[in-house]
Amino acid sequence: MAAIHKALPILEDYDISPVTGFLPQDEPLKILPDPYFAPWEETFCHFNGLLLASRLRQRVNELPLLDAALLVTKAEQRRGYLILCMLSHAYVWGKHELAAESLPAALAVPWQKVADMLEIQPVLTHAAVVMWNWQLLYKDGPRDLNNLDTLATLSGSSDESWFYLVTTAIEATGAPALSKILRALRLVRDNDVTELIQELEGIRGIIEELVAVLRRMFEKCDPYVFYWKVRPYLAGWENMAEAGLPNGVRYEGVDNGEYKKLAGGSAAQSSLIHTLDIAFGVEHHPTGFRPKGASTPANSKPPNGPVHNSYNDASDVTAKATPKTGGSSSNNFIQKMRFYMPGPHRSFLTHLTEVANIRQFVSAKAAETVRSEQITKLITVFDECVHQIKLFRDVHIQMVTLYIVMQANRGPSISHGGFVHQPTRPAHPSDENHDVADDMRSASLSTSPTASNTAGSKGSSILYPQKAIFATPTGLAKKQEEGNEVVRGTGGTDLIPFLRQSRDETNDSKIIPTPVWTKKTVSA
């Protein structure tokens, strides 16, 4: 009797395009068409200027409470969500201001409403700034870095635009892989090794392109600008006690004004990367925990039925479920990031997990007593696909090291002037090259009248590092404290251990095990 298989997912059923993948097939709206939402659009139009003038909070406090239910189409809902994400994060983190623990109802209520409509969380997400924040320079051109621009940025900088657009281009470049993965699953069911090899070769080529696009981040996104000017606004309010939000943020008019602890935007929220992991059987575990022998040996029999890995753990996630707030170490951070994806994409990943068996199939072929040349080629191309995913994560670790860890360790550098008045402070007559970190530590003595008055507000946060000489820096734009080895990501996780483990877990998925570090990896 033939085995009964669950139907393979159909991309269009999950708001996914065979052409553009998880990106919308049509360009995101540049403005909401209903004049009712003019207060949002007018505020958003002057967004960067208001933030620069430290008057954004004032303008937001003057906004009327609008009904997000009047956002009728998906495109309108996405535009509304983008506006509310950026206004809300700018309101919370401010500029040279203490982080705001309470979000006004004029933002909080419609933000929660439109998030529910999109089956996503009311916090800045990968979907908001990457998937729904782009436009084509030439309408008949491709969705690549030579033809993309952002609709909005938090800092007003081209570095921030490039940061988003590289990721948008990755989503566009990876789109063809989705159909190929589904075809590969069909070929597994048909036991068609010849055609399966061809599909895997095509997927391998696409992942190679993803790595090449990711490397372009270094071209036009300056690490200093990103860390000190952009990254603080991308942070959410989970695990952010050290950034000034120990309880999270209270959404006025939502859930009786209870505090929410939500992670900020993260690359781990990319449905494309989750899809590749699921397709190739990459299993992720809570940071710090990796079971011994996580990789299934090539000579062992694979289990029957679907793989019960980290992605299956959330298969019963509902659209309105609230992510756990116990911190990223209490559960699987990557799995938890699915809560921050649009609902249809999350459902697609759940469906894909239930039918994905490419690695099982290849493992079974590898375990056969006689291994033909064709099976050897199948194993090779499968492992090459996994290796490309690993290389993608290698480049990501390099980026995080340069853009975050090194910046945090160095602290702010002040290479130019810009302040008319310098506070009275001890001079360094015998040390012309003293570290600005000394200034930051000295400035932390903000209980003195001089420091307090000069700063304008005790303990004010800094998004411009020059502010460090005036007051105690809070928020994510700060120098790493001596003895503190934890560098938080905008999603709230301890970055480097998390990324390294994710990379190593990817490598574990190969049929024929190889060391994580090879000569090819180092030179890549």
Side-chain angles (χ1 to χ4, degrees):
M1 181 176 178
I4 300 176
H5 298 288
K6 180 172 182 174
L8 298 177
I10 299 172
L11 296 178
E12 292 85 350
D13 290 349
Y14 296 99
D15 198 20
I16 303 170
S17 165
V19 178
T20 61
F22 295 102
L23 296 176
Q25 191 150 351
D26 297 325
E27 289 184 73
L29 291 180
K30 297 180 177 64
I31 190 169
L32 291 170
D34 191 339
Y36 174 77
F37 294 103
W40 289 0
E41 290 288 0
E42 289 169 2
T43 303
F44 201 46
C45 179
H46 301 288
F47 169 71
N48 295 121
L50 289 166
L51 191 56
L52 184 63
S54 298
R55 300 188 68 181
L56 178 69
R57 289 178 177 174
Q58 175 187 339
R59 176 66 70 87
V60 166
N61 290 331
E62 296 168 354
L63 285 175
L65 178 56
L66 302 181
D67 185 4
L70 297 180
L71 297 168
V72 180
T73 67
K74 270 282 194 288
E76 291 174 4
Q77 293 163 10
R78 291 165 178 166
R79 172 69 180 177
Y81 181 75
L82 170 63
I83 291 173
L84 294 169
C85 280
M86 290 203 162
L87 291 181
S88 298
H89 275 246
Y91 186 97
V92 167
W93 294 115
K95 186 182 287 290
H96 303 174
E97 300 163 293
L98 285 170
E101 287 189 306
S102 185
L103 196 63
L107 293 180
V109 173
W111 199 15
Q112 180 68 65
K113 178 66 176 179
V114 74
D116 289 343
M117 295 162 77
L118 293 168
E119 302 175 60
I120 199 169
Q121 295 297 326
V123 71
L124 186 144
T125 57
H126 173 90
V129 295
V130 170
M131 292 164 50
W132 304 335
N133 184 31
W134 56 272
Q135 58 184 323
L136 295 174
L137 299 175
Y138 292 89
K139 304 307 176 185
D140 57 348
R143 293 169 177 81
D144 62 28
L145 287 171
N146 296 321
N147 196 43
L148 285 170
D149 190 17
T150 50
L151 295 174
T153 63
L154 288 150
S155 67
S157 69
S158 60
D159 299 81
E160 183 180 353
S161 285
W162 190 252
F163 176 73
Y164 298 150
L165 293 175
V166 167
T167 318
T168 304
I170 286 173
E171 294 284 349
T173 301
L178 303 179
S179 296
K180 287 184 173 294
I181 286 171
L182 295 182
R183 282 197 292 271
L185 292 174
R186 173 62 62 190
L187 293 168
V188 165
R189 293 183 176 189
D190 295 340
N191 196 27
D192 191 334
V193 175
T194 302
E195 292 296 323
L196 177 59
I197 291 173
Q198 291 184 12
E199 288 299 334
L200 292 178
E201 288 175 337
I203 296 170
R204 178 191 61 197
I206 292 171
I207 305 174
E208 288 175 350
E209 292 178 32
L210 298 183
V211 177
V213 175
L214 182 61
R215 289 186 191 278
R216 294 197 62 187
M217 183 68 74
F218 303 105
E219 293 179 15
K220 298 176 184 178
C221 182
D222 181 84
Y224 182 86
V225 174
F226 173 77
Y227 183 82
W228 294 102
K229 312 291 182 67
V230 177
R231 181 173 176 262
Y233 290 118
L234 304 180
W237 17 96
E238 181 180 42
N239 293 335
M240 287 295 160
E242 60 194 63
L245 296 175
N247 302 311
V249 169
R250 189 169 67 89
Y251 288 49
E252 295 181 8
V254 177
D255 297 332
N256 298 317
E258 293 181 1
Y259 281 90
K260 291 180 182 288
K261 290 185 178 181
L262 297 171
S266 169
Q269 295 165 6
S270 169
S271 299
L272 173 64
I273 304 305
H274 280 244
T275 297
L276 292 174
D277 278 346
I278 295 170
F280 289 95
V282 177
E283 295 188 28
H284 294 290
H285 305 277
T287 304
F289 170 77
R290 285 182 65 206
K292 294 182 179 180
S295 177
T296 303
N299 60 353
S300 65
K301 293 286 185 180
N304 294 321
V307 180
H308 291 279
N309 58 24
S310 57
Y311 288 101
N312 282 74
D313 295 342
S315 60
D316 59 345
V317 170
T318 57
K320 295 186 179 181
T322 301
K324 296 179 182 178
T325 58
S328 59
S329 62
S330 63
N331 53 54
N332 189 326
F333 178 78
I334 290 181
Q335 175 264 313
K336 191 169 70 171
M337 286 297 98
R338 274 211 246 172
F339 286 101
Y340 298 87
M341 299 174 183
H345 298 172
R346 186 167 60 245
S347 297
F348 169 76
L349 296 178
T350 299
H351 190 165
L352 183 64
T353 301
E354 294 171 349
V355 298
N357 59 352
I358 299 174
R359 187 176 187 278
Q360 287 178 280
F361 179 79
V362 178
S363 293
K365 294 295 183 182
E368 291 178 354
T369 305
V370 179
R371 184 180 297 178
S372 66
E373 183 177 339
Q374 186 185 50
I375 297 304
T376 299
K377 186 174 182 180
L378 173 65
I379 296 169
T380 299
V381 70
F382 178 91
D383 282 354
E384 287 173 347
C385 288
V386 174
H387 188 71
Q388 288 302 317
I389 301 173
K390 174 196 167 292
L391 288 182
F392 186 91
R393 289 193 158 109
D394 281 333
V395 175
H396 191 205
I397 291 174
Q398 294 169 13
M399 284 175 49
V400 168
T401 302
L402 176 62
Y403 282 81
I404 299 175
V405 177
M406 290 177 65
Q407 301 305 312
N409 289 334
R410 287 173 179 169
S413 60
I414 304 175
S415 57
H416 58 279
F419 293 101
V420 176
H421 172 70
Q422 295 287 345
T424 302
R425 51 186 294 105
H428 298 265
S430 61
D431 185 7
E432 296 180 358
N433 298 317
H434 70 276
D435 196 326
V436 177
D438 294 334
D439 291 326
M440 294 172 70
R441 281 188 288 271
S442 297
S444 68
L445 301 175
S446 56
T447 54
S448 68
T450 302
S452 182
N453 293 337
T454 305
S457 62
K458 181 179 178 181
S460 61
S461 64
I462 57 160
L463 295 178
Y464 283 94
Q466 293 91 330
K467 194 71 175 178
I469 65 175
F470 291 112
T472 303
T474 58
L476 289 187
K478 62 181 181 179
K479 186 181 186 298
Q480 190 75 351
E481 295 178 3
E482 190 173 341
N484 179 16
E485 298 181 357
V486 176
V487 178
R488 292 281 177 204
T490 50
T493 188
D494 185 358
L495 267 177
I496 295 301
F498 161 68
L499 293 175
R500 285 176 176 166
Q501 180 170 318
S502 297
R503 184 267 318 276
D504 296 348
E505 288 167 339
T506 302
N507 199 63
D508 287 342
S509 189
K510 292 178 180 176
I511 304 301
I512 299 178
T514 61
V516 173
W517 292 106
T518 64
K519 185 175 181 180
K520 182 177 181 180
T521 299
V522 174
S523 62

